[in-house]
Amino acid sequence: MNSVTPRLFVAATEQNAGKTTTSLGLFSALQKRLGRIGFIKPVGQRFVEVEGKRIDEDSVLIDQTFGVRTPLEAMSPIAVEPDFTRRYIEDSNNEFLVRRIQHSFDRAAWEKDFVIIEGTGHAGVGSVFDLSNARVAKLLGSKVLLIAGGGIGKPIDEVALNKALFDKEGVELVGVILNKIIPEKYDYVCDFARRGLKRLGIDLIGAIPEEPILANATLGQICKTTRGQFINGKTKSRRRVQKIVIGAMNSGHAMAHFKPGTLIITPGDREDVILAALSSSTLSENDGHSIAGLVLSGDLVPNSPIMELLKNSDVPTIASPLDSYTVASSIHSMTVKTLPGDVEKIDKIQSLVDRYVEVDRLLGKLQEASE
């Protein structure tokens, strides 16, 4: 297996801590400094079908954003299907999986100046089939950068726990990035987290503040999550939702909540709220963008004249079979992923990493570690 090309394993203390965000931002930053960057996600748990092959969605995102020029199956060698663990326990095939990962890394590193390896979940994820993140990092001969949540006590405890697993495999942790720090507490958190990590012999390499745009779902993502379908406005499926309001009050009170970026959830037979939303949009000074859109809940639809108004309006409308409470809960608990082509979000991620991550210091630590 290639042991020459510099590499970095990006892990996290928990799911959705910001591995993909960090990997995407680092890819851009390293590309500017080093040239040709490779990418691989050895073990993926969320995948999409691409030409009949199951490819991790983060590998697709990186490839479509940067044009990596590596076969997708090499960037995503193992997709953990629903029955993957059961089949492995019944008939262990660890040697085959290890060879597949190492061979794929060789292909991902071919003619590259640096390779980013993205893990999945915390250090122990994958242990059940003998391919934990710590184990994979060792197989690929990589140092580790760990992403943790924004805070002091809980993130440092989690870093210590994850470091123990990497230490057990003989894998070096070169630093930590804290992500999603509350802006009002940024300086305070950075100061004490840096000191707390130092007591464990760990460097704070970066600290990224919480950025609302990264957590705001698009109408398309909400439509999918709520098992809905667009009545109109599907071309605006990338519109981002900033706030959610359940329109269970009378239309007069509801109109007070019709602000830019707000998604109104209302039963499909609440024609007064629907008409108020349409009127608000028509009267808006923001070219029909007073609200992000409507979700008509409960598998209910208004009468034909109002349906015609909806279809001809500038307000994107989704019909969902779920009740209003379930729609709101589903949106609140959904994992908002960065999608290929989401230029605004990708640009923001790149600028955050450029500003808040000490990339040159990280490269220096990697070089020291290899000497």
Side-chain angles (χ1 to χ4, degrees), residues 10-77:
V10 181
T13 57
E14 59 185 351
Q15 277 191 318
N16 306 318
K19 291 187 311 302
T20 305
T21 297
T22 303
S23 296
L24 193 152
L26 280 176
F27 195 109
S28 173
L30 293 173
Q31 195 174 53
K32 295 172 188 173
R33 290 165 171 81
L34 303 176
R36 299 163 301 181
I37 309 300
F39 177 88
I40 181 173
K41 186 162 183 177
V43 180
Q45 294 180 302
R46 296 167 62 106
F47 53 84
V48 293
E49 295 277 347
V50 181
E51 297 180 356
K53 298 175 182 177
R54 290 175 173 174
I55 306 295
D56 179 81
E57 61 185 17
D58 294 337
S59 297
V60 174
L61 169 66
I62 295 291
D63 184 59
Q64 291 192 14
T65 301
F66 298 106
V68 184
R69 294 186 179 179
T70 298
L72 277 172
E73 61 267 28
M75 294 171 63
S76 176

Side-chain angles (χ1 to χ4, degrees), residues 261-274:
T262 300
L263 179 71
I264 308 299
I265 302 169
T266 187
D269 59 355
R270 283 299 302 268
E271 297 177 355
D272 57 334
V273 174
I274 295 169

Side-chain angles (χ1 to χ4, degrees), residues 28-332:
S28 173
L30 293 173
Q31 195 174 53
K32 295 172 188 173
R33 290 165 171 81
L34 303 176
R36 299 163 301 181
I37 309 300
F39 177 88
I40 181 173
K41 186 162 183 177
V43 180
Q45 294 180 302
R46 296 167 62 106
F47 53 84
V48 293
E49 295 277 347
V50 181
E51 297 180 356
K53 298 175 182 177
R54 290 175 173 174
I55 306 295
D56 179 81
E57 61 185 17
D58 294 337
S59 297
V60 174
L61 169 66
I62 295 291
D63 184 59
Q64 291 192 14
T65 301
F66 298 106
V68 184
R69 294 186 179 179
T70 298
L72 277 172
E73 61 267 28
M75 294 171 63
S76 176
I78 297 175
V80 180
E81 303 164 304
D83 62 343
F84 183 93
T85 300
R86 177 189 58 77
R87 287 190 285 110
Y88 182 87
I89 291 173
E90 284 181 344
D91 183 21
S92 174
N93 57 343
N94 186 254
E95 261 186 56
F96 169 78
L97 296 177
V98 167
R99 285 199 306 270
R100 183 174 177 83
I101 287 174
Q102 292 177 324
H103 177 64
S104 294
F105 179 83
D106 281 348
R107 297 175 74 193
W110 179 254
E111 295 187 332
K112 298 295 191 294
D113 301 304
F114 193 98
V115 180
I116 294 172
I117 308 162
E118 184 183 335
T120 178
H122 58 70
V125 170
S127 296
V128 68
F129 45 83
D130 303 312
L131 285 174
S132 69
N133 282 294
R135 174 67 178 152
V136 172
K138 181 179 181 179
L139 285 172
L140 298 180
S142 182
K143 313 299 180 185
V144 173
L145 175 67
L146 193 59
I147 316 301
I152 302 171
K154 182 174 180 284
I156 292 176
D157 287 347
E158 292 173 340
V159 166
L161 187 63
N162 278 263
K163 184 177 184 297
L165 283 172
F166 286 117
D167 287 347
K168 184 179 178 182
E169 291 288 351
V171 174
E172 182 180 346
L173 176 61
V174 294
V176 168
I177 292 176
L178 295 184
N179 191 31
K180 304 176 187 176
I181 300 173
I182 298 173
E184 294 77 18
K185 298 182 178 181
Y186 184 82
D187 292 336
Y188 170 83
V189 168
C190 288
D191 180 24
F192 282 93
R194 191 181 302 276
R195 286 194 264 171
L197 288 168
K198 188 176 181 180
R199 295 176 71 226
L200 300 176
I202 302 169
D203 282 342
L204 182 64
I205 295 293
I208 301 175
E210 191 173 53
E211 177 57 54
I213 189 177
L214 302 185
N216 292 341
T218 64
L219 289 175
Q221 290 170 319
I222 287 170
C223 184
K224 183 177 179 180
T225 297
T226 61
R227 307 206 310 266
Q229 58 181 359
F230 279 94
I231 291 175
N232 77 313
K234 190 172 183 178
T235 56
K236 299 174 183 176
S237 62
R238 288 187 181 272
R239 181 179 290 183
R240 216 171 297 283
V241 173
Q242 299 173 26
K243 183 180 178 182
I244 296 169
V245 171
I246 297 180
M249 68 288 284
N250 67 49
S251 57
H253 290 146
M255 289 190 74
H257 299 282
F258 293 171
K259 307 293 184 183
T262 300
L263 179 71
I264 308 299
I265 302 169
T266 187
D269 59 355
R270 283 299 302 268
E271 297 177 355
D272 57 334
V273 174
I274 295 169
L275 286 171
L278 293 176
S279 299
S280 173
S281 175
T282 301
L283 297 171
S284 171
E285 297 178 359
N286 298 315
D287 298 323
H289 293 96
S290 59
I291 60 174
L294 280 168
V295 175
L296 306 185
S297 61
D299 219 7
L300 300 169
V301 293
N303 63 41
S304 297
I306 294 180
M307 277 292 285
E308 283 303 309
L309 287 174
L310 278 172
K311 289 177 181 178
N312 294 315
S313 78
D314 290 324
V315 180
T317 304
I318 298 166
S320 170
L322 308 178
D323 63 79
S324 294
Y325 175 78
T326 304
V327 167
S329 297
S330 299
I331 296 171
H332 178 73

Side-chain angles (χ1 to χ4, degrees), residues 6-7 34 114 143 172 174 360-371:
R7 64 208 66 183
L34 303 176
F114 193 98
K143 313 299 180 185
E172 182 180 346
V174 294
D360 292 326
R361 183 159 166 255
L362 173 62
L363 286 173
K365 287 178 69 65
L366 288 172
Q367 188 172 10
E368 289 170 12
S370 62
E371 292 175 350

